[in-house]
Amino acid sequence: MGKYQPRDSFQSPRFCGPRTFMRLPFIETLDKDMDFVITGVPFDSGQSFRTGARFGPEAIRDFSILLRPYNPEQAINVFDYVSGVDYGDIPVVPGYIQDTYEKMEEGLTPVVQQGIIPIVLGGDHSITLAELRVIANRHGPVALLQFDAHSDTWDSYFGKKYNHGTVFRRAIEEGLLNVSRSIQIGMRGGLYGIEDLDDARNLGLDVYTTNQYKKAGVERMLEIIHERVGNGPVFLSFDIDFLDPVYAPGTGTPEVSGASMDDALAFVRGLTGINFVGFDLVEVLPAYDHGQITAAAAANIVYEFITLIALKKREMQNGN
């Protein structure tokens, strides 16, 4: 069993104690026994429509107390193989994105340099740029696997270069991504022009709209993903608006006709064997959530991230 694992809910009811992710220990120091850390970045000053994703990490943690350590779909007791903690939130500077990036880089660098996999709870999608800076500093340019309704590759918005709609163009410009191994899935909704998608493709990204993935099917898309990202280091960024608003009403820029929760889980569960070096889940906005629908979806997807880490470690232990 891992050194750090969730509190036993047969000894302490789920509604007791602080709201850490999955009732993991809240520890703000690092040690060699940690395979991953959960950390929040409650920043939403990069949003262009609804604000309030600064409360996303809190909402995800609040629902996550219902999660259990055995994942029957993947046939693994997760914490038999991995050890992890809730690392708390990285301090942000509301309204000041560049200062927040500095705080994030300072906070995440020790995690990544020690070989611990960060799982970041957003916050809006602008935060991913700082994560990628830290990841690339250790691993070099990484593949991006992005589930999202929006490509987030605009050059600017209202003349500003840094916000949640420009994050991946900036990442490419800074040399943080290996675009030849990167893929975006789920693009949909109205555009300002065809160039909104063409720009992403012209940057070298492989882009699939929601309609394209639905026609191909999840299993075929998983084959495409594995072939695209290959064996090198991969960063997975999951914007909750990848889901249809029926499953995720609490988000900043909802788009109709999105993915079902079944498809989202099938996608993440099918990502076994990939060399993930970081994850995030962004754009949960609890003020527009109802009955914790969005928080439930987000918490369960993050649980599947942890499961992927456990499956990879089991594979390595078995010499496969």
Side-chain angles (χ1 to χ4, degrees):
M1 299 290 286
K3 178 178 178 180
Y4 300 111
Q5 54 186 299
R7 183 178 296 186
D8 186 348
S9 294
F10 285 111
Q11 301 298 321
S12 171
R14 287 185 176 83
F15 47 81
C16 291
R19 291 297 195 264
T20 61
F21 189 85
M22 208 177 166
R23 309 189 77 206
L24 288 166
F26 171 50
I27 297 177
E28 295 181 287
T29 56
L30 303 170
D31 70 43
K32 61 181 178 60
D33 294 306
M34 296 175 184
D35 297 295
F36 70 91
V37 299
I38 303 284
T39 188
V41 181
F43 182 82
D44 61 6
S45 299
Q47 286 184 300
S48 57
F49 188 51
R50 298 171 174 170
T51 56
R54 66 184 62 183
F55 300 110
E58 175 186 358
I60 297 167
R61 287 180 172 115
D62 188 48
F63 187 87
S64 75
I65 62 174
L66 281 173
L67 298 172
R68 301 176 181 89
Y70 183 76
N71 187 329
E73 300 300 326
Q74 299 282 40
I76 188 170
N77 193 322
V78 174
F79 292 92
D80 282 353
Y81 296 92
V82 294
S83 173
V85 303
D86 192 317
Y87 196 52
D89 288 346
I90 292 175
V92 303
V93 186
Y96 295 89
I97 195 167
Q98 299 280 31
D99 298 278
T100 293
Y101 285 164
E102 291 178 10
K103 295 274 191 183
M104 288 184 65
E105 291 171 46
E106 180 183 352
L108 289 172
T109 293
V111 175
V112 173
Q113 289 301 319
Q114 291 193 40
I116 301 168
I117 297 175
I119 302 176
V120 178
L121 312 178
D124 71 54
H125 220 154
S126 67
I127 67 172
T128 305
L129 182 59
E131 299 168 51
L132 288 170
R133 287 173 177 171
V134 175
I135 293 284
N137 189 48
R138 176 179 169 87
H139 298 282
V142 296
L144 171 70
L145 172 54
Q146 178 187 352
F147 295 96
D148 201 330
H150 311 98
S151 186
D152 297 342
T153 51
W154 286 338
D155 181 55
S156 62
Y157 197 69
F158 288 99
K160 301 300 180 182
K161 293 286 190 178
Y162 296 95
N163 57 68
H164 74 160
T166 64
V167 58
F168 296 112
R169 181 180 286 269
R170 298 289 89 80
I172 293 168
E173 290 172 348
E174 292 183 22
L176 310 178
L177 298 181
N178 183 337
V179 292
S180 68
R181 297 175 47 235
S182 297
I183 183 169
Q184 299 179 318
I185 301 166
M187 312 302 114
R188 67 184 190 279
L191 304 171
Y192 293 111
I194 187 60
E195 64 274 8
D196 285 355
L197 285 181
D198 286 346
D199 283 353
R201 295 186 175 112
N202 291 337
L203 288 167
L205 298 167
D206 202 10
V207 180
Y208 288 84
T209 67
T210 295
N211 284 338
Q212 287 174 324
Y213 108 64
K214 288 181 177 178
K215 288 178 182 177
V218 173
E219 290 304 316
R220 174 59 186 141
M221 286 305 307
L222 284 168
E223 293 173 358
I224 292 169
I225 290 169
H226 280 272
E227 182 178 353
R228 179 74 175 181
V229 304
N231 297 320
V234 180
F235 183 89
L236 195 164
S237 189
F238 196 109
D239 189 320
I240 203 67
D241 69 22
F242 173 73
L243 294 170
D244 190 272
V246 169
Y247 305 96
T251 192
T253 316
E255 303 284 358
V256 300
S257 193
S260 68
M261 192 63 201
D262 284 347
D263 278 3
L265 289 174
F267 267 121
V268 181
R269 289 169 180 161
L271 300 175
T272 55
I274 292 175
N275 179 23
F276 287 112
V277 294
F279 301 82
D280 69 16
L281 189 143
V282 297
E283 300 281 355
V284 172
L285 201 166
Y288 286 86
D289 205 2
H290 311 288
Q292 295 184 294
I293 295 171
T294 312
N300 276 274
I301 291 165
V302 173
Y303 173 60
E304 297 296 337
F305 293 168
I306 299 171
T307 302
L308 290 173
I309 299 170
L311 288 166
K312 185 68 172 177
K313 191 167 183 182
R314 183 174 70 179
E315 175 186 317
M316 294 171 63
Q317 290 177 356
N318 292 338
N320 296 328

